[in-house]
Amino acid sequence: NHWLNDKKNRSTIGEVKRKYFQRRNLSNKANLEFSSLVEDGSLSPYDNIIKEKSAEIGWDWRLIAAIMYQESKFETWKVSWAGAYGLFQFMPATAESYGINRNSSPESQIGAGIRKLNKNFNQWLEEIPDSTECLKFTLGTFNSGRGHIDDARALCEKHGFDKNVWTDHVNEMLLNLSKPKYYRDEVVRNGYCRGIETYEYIIEVIQRFEEYKAAFPQEGDQPGLFGFIRKTSNDTAEK
C-alpha cells in the first residue's frame, strides 16, 4: 500500500494500466484518468502556461497538452529508464542545449519543449510541405530521434514506398527497423529501433488531441490534425 500510494510510482502504475487495459481504447476516454481531464475542468496544472507558450508559435495548445501528457502525464518529477526527465522527457544533453535541467521550472520546461517541437517542425517543413504530414514526422522525431526516421525513409525509397507520407509508408518501415533483415540493411545508418513505440506514440497523441478538442471545443475545429497550427511560415521559427 505504501508503494501504491507513493506519488513517485504513479507513472509506473499508469503505464501498466495503459498497457494492459486502455491502449487504443476509443470508448469514452475523455472521462478516464488516462486522458488527464481533472475535476476542475482543466487538462493540466499548466493550462495557462501551455496556452501562452503555444500562442507564441501559433500552435493549438490542446495538441501541446496531448504531447505533454503522452510524455510525462504532466509529472515534473518523472524520470525514464534511459534518464529522460521532466514534462517533455528531455535527455540530459538535449535539455542542456535548450537551457533547462531537472530543477527548471515548469514554465521553462514547457517553453523548451515547444521550441524543440517548433524547430523540428520547421526543419521537416523544408522537405514535407504538407503541414499535417509534417507534424507526424515531427512527433516521430520527438519520440525516437531524427536518425531512425531518416532510416525508415531510406527503406521507403528502397522498397517502393513514399518517404514523405507517414501512415502506411514511413511508419511501416519504422516497425521493420526492429527486424534484423531491415536494421542491418546497408541504407540504415542508426541500427535497431523499437519502432512500435513511435508507431503507437503518434496514434495515441492524435487520439488524445481529438479528445481534448471535444472537451475544449474552439471555433473552426475539424476532425484530425487540420488546423493544429495557424501558420506554416518561418516567421516565429527557431533557426
Side-chain angles (χ1 to χ4, degrees):
N1 286 342
H2 176 76
W3 186 88
L4 289 170
N5 289 325
D6 190 335
K7 71 177 184 179
K8 292 185 296 184
N9 299 318
R10 290 176 186 170
S11 296
T12 301
I13 295 168
E15 287 292 329
V16 172
K17 181 179 179 183
R18 179 167 69 89
K19 179 177 180 180
Y20 290 102
F21 296 102
Q22 294 170 330
R23 177 158 292 193
R24 296 197 191 182
N25 178 10
L26 299 179
S27 61
N28 200 30
K29 288 200 298 182
N31 293 323
L32 299 178
E33 179 185 1
F34 172 55
S35 296
S36 82
L37 294 174
V38 295
E39 293 180 359
D40 65 0
S42 62
L43 289 177
S44 78
Y46 312 112
D47 283 8
N48 289 336
I49 299 174
I50 298 171
K51 291 176 182 178
E52 177 186 348
K53 298 294 184 182
S54 299
E56 292 176 359
I57 63 167
W59 281 42
D60 192 315
W61 76 277
R62 299 165 299 180
L63 175 60
I64 299 296
I67 296 168
M68 287 177 61
Y69 185 80
Q70 189 75 18
E71 292 289 343
S72 67
K73 298 181 175 60
F74 306 120
E75 297 171 354
T76 57
W77 60 85
K78 183 173 181 179
V79 180
S80 77
W81 64 269
Y85 60 81
L87 292 171
F88 278 96
Q89 290 292 282
F90 274 18
M91 292 297 289
T94 303
E96 183 178 0
S97 71
Y98 281 86
I100 62 170
N101 55 50
R102 295 192 185 196
N103 298 318
S104 295
S105 68
E107 183 174 5
S108 296
Q109 292 186 38
I110 292 168
I114 289 176
R115 290 199 309 274
K116 186 177 190 305
L117 284 164
N118 195 47
K119 179 178 181 179
N120 292 158
F121 178 82
N122 280 287
Q123 288 172 335
W124 277 115
L125 200 61
E126 295 177 0
E127 300 183 48
I128 303 173
D130 183 288
S131 61
T132 299
E133 286 297 328
C134 184
L135 176 62
K136 294 176 183 178
F137 282 84
T138 300
L139 294 175
T141 299
F142 199 83
N143 181 250
S144 66
R146 175 71 187 244
H148 291 307
I149 307 303
D150 284 340
D151 285 343
R153 295 181 80 213
L155 287 170
C156 280
E157 287 190 291
K158 182 169 183 174
H159 294 279
F161 290 81
D162 190 335
K163 71 175 184 178
N164 293 330
V165 175
W166 182 262
T167 304
D168 296 329
H169 292 265
V170 175
N171 67 346
E172 292 297 327
M173 287 301 158
L174 194 64
L175 286 176
N176 285 334
L177 282 173
S178 63
K179 304 172 184 177
K181 173 184 175 180
Y182 291 92
Y183 70 70
R184 291 175 180 167
D185 192 291
E186 61 182 9
V187 303
V188 172
R189 304 172 66 92
N190 298 280
Y192 172 88
C193 174
R194 193 168 183 271
I196 186 63
E197 292 184 358
T198 304
Y199 184 99
E200 293 189 343
Y201 174 92
I202 293 173
I203 292 171
E204 292 175 3
V205 166
I206 294 172
Q207 288 176 350
R208 188 170 295 106
F209 180 39
E210 289 287 358
E211 297 163 19
Y212 289 178
K213 288 195 295 182
F216 292 83
Q218 296 178 177
E219 185 178 354
D221 279 348
Q222 296 187 33
L225 293 172
F226 183 86
F228 78 93
I229 191 169
R230 292 194 297 272
K231 53 183 173 296
T232 56
S233 71
N234 290 332
D235 293 344
T236 58
E238 178 187 348
K239 299 297 185 180

